[in-house]
Amino acid sequence: MASTEYTYTRGEFKVTEQMTLDFERDGFIIIRHLLDDEELENLKVTIENPDGGLRERAFHQDDGGGLKVTMIHWKHPGTDVSGIIARSRKVAGTFEKLLGGEVYHYSGKINMKEAHSGGQHLWHQDYGYWYNNGLLFPDMATVYIAVDKADKTNGCLQVLRGSHLAGRVEHKRVAGETGADEERVNQLKKVLDHVYVELDPGDAVLFHCNVLHRSDQNRSDRRRRAYLVSYNRASNNPVFEHYNASYVPLEIVDDEEIKRCSNHTDFTGKSFVDPADNKNISGTKTGKH
């Protein structure tokens, strides 16, 4: 099986024909060192800032296995560090090449699995439930950026290589989330490679919206935080308004702006999503907002 791994090098990185072919064949690619240590630290400050970081907008989601996943969810990028990352050329620009056209910010999330108690995410496709949001085509994808080291012991992302080629699978509500049809997944697992996507901090995996993916509970001594940004093709604007974003032109910025950004607490314009407004999940607010 050909490699799906690439390494980001400042000034040299570009989306090659081989990278696009890998994404189309496997449904995902891994980019090592997408964020460097300084960029990642800037993001961490934005998440955990005691003067009003993103964590204050968090909610808990029941994982169906007795534990909770902590999440923060918003519609628009805003101008804080997380928004600058989402608008950066090395992230948004890469998706414009992989998806074959202009993209916009569909949603942003921080997923947090605390040590010993972080919940699981069941097998699902993002388009399994985005399909119900008025999105006519699966012209969508997500970047998952590891904030902490992610491996098998603390609940790293798992994917079925090439599962996007099977098309959309039926989904149903399971506990606080939406999961794919279990029998269909089990049949696909017999013929597809099951990959544990182990990442160091700053590494990223970019995956198509029809890739089946999941993550296990975190029973380890280490927490596992991840930053996820989902993009939609501008040509695939949803036919009705819903909890995620309809088309808003995305102003792509130079990568150097990630380090220059010092906005860790002003989240004007992000439009945080209340779990009560999202029909695909259920959750309980834990933060101050």
Side-chain angles (χ1 to χ4, degrees):
M1 180 63 67
S3 172
T4 56
E5 290 198 19
Y6 297 86
T7 299
Y8 177 82
T9 302
R10 183 181 176 184
E12 299 179 13
F13 180 82
K14 64 179 181 178
V15 178
T16 62
E17 181 180 1
Q18 186 60 55
M19 191 183 298
T20 302
L21 290 173
D22 289 345
F23 184 78
E24 292 174 349
R25 181 194 65 232
D26 294 341
F28 72 97
I29 56 172
I30 295 168
I31 302 179
R32 303 290 181 186
H33 310 303
L34 183 62
L35 296 186
D36 65 25
D37 290 345
E38 186 178 347
E39 292 168 331
L40 189 62
E41 185 59 33
N42 213 13
L43 175 61
K44 288 179 180 179
V45 173
T46 307
I47 297 171
E48 306 289 353
N49 194 306
D51 294 326
L54 286 168
R55 185 181 279 270
E56 291 192 356
R57 277 79 174 173
F59 60 89
H60 283 158
Q61 177 180 304
D62 181 5
D63 78 338
L67 298 181
K68 305 286 185 183
V69 176
T70 303
M71 300 176 64
I72 310 153
H73 183 186
W74 59 89
K75 294 174 68 168
H76 304 296
T79 59
D80 65 288
V81 175
S82 70
I84 297 300
I85 292 170
R87 293 164 50 205
S88 67
R89 195 168 306 282
K90 64 180 174 182
V91 181
T94 295
F95 276 109
E96 292 199 329
K97 299 288 179 55
L98 294 177
L99 291 174
E102 180 190 358
V103 300
Y104 74 93
H105 184 282
Y106 182 62
S107 74
K109 290 182 181 178
I110 303 290
N111 284 355
M112 297 180 280
K113 297 188 178 193
E114 302 300 340
H116 305 293
S117 60
Q120 66 183 334
H121 287 285
L122 304 175
W123 284 111
H124 68 283
Q125 301 162 308
D126 291 338
Y127 192 65
Y129 50 93
W130 288 347
Y131 172 93
N132 296 314
N133 293 345
L135 293 147
L136 300 182
F137 299 96
D139 296 335
M140 312 175 74
T142 295
V143 60
Y144 170 117
I145 302 173
V147 178
D148 304 300
K149 183 177 178 60
D151 54 33
K152 288 184 180 181
T153 63
N154 70 345
C156 69
L157 189 73
Q158 304 167 40
V159 300
L160 293 185
R161 189 191 303 270
S163 55
H164 64 305
L165 300 176
R168 178 182 177 269
V169 174
E170 288 297 323
H171 284 62
K172 64 180 181 180
R173 284 294 297 272
V174 181
E177 57 185 291
T178 300
D181 179 75
E182 187 174 357
E183 177 57 29
R184 191 76 169 187
V185 172
N186 288 338
Q187 293 298 328
L188 287 168
K189 287 172 68 177
K190 294 177 182 179
V191 297
L192 297 176
D193 186 19
H194 182 174
V195 180
Y196 286 80
V197 183
E198 296 190 299
L199 304 172
D200 287 325
D203 291 348
V205 56
L206 290 67
F207 58 95
H208 188 272
C209 64
N210 266 336
V211 164
L212 282 159
H213 57 287
R214 67 158 290 137
S215 61
D216 292 335
Q217 293 180 336
N218 181 12
R219 300 285 188 175
S220 78
D221 295 332
R222 297 176 293 116
R223 64 179 174 179
R224 196 227 69 179
R225 295 169 296 174
Y227 175 34
L228 295 87
V229 187
S230 298
Y231 297 89
N232 185 23
R233 277 276 301 267
S235 60
N236 193 38
N237 196 33
V239 298
F240 54 80
E241 295 290 329
H242 58 283
Y243 58 89
N244 280 336
S246 294
Y247 173 68
V248 176
L250 187 65
E251 182 183 351
I252 296 178
V253 300
D254 290 336
D255 299 333
E256 290 74 16
E257 295 301 317
I258 300 172
K259 293 178 182 177
R260 294 190 186 119
C261 184
S262 59
N263 177 13
H264 303 116
T265 57
D266 182 359
F267 303 125
T268 302
K270 292 183 86 70
S271 189
F272 289 93
V273 177
D274 187 327
D277 297 329
N278 185 341
K279 62 186 177 183
N280 296 305
I281 65 169
S282 59
T284 304
K285 289 184 177 180
T286 64
K288 298 178 181 177
H289 294 268

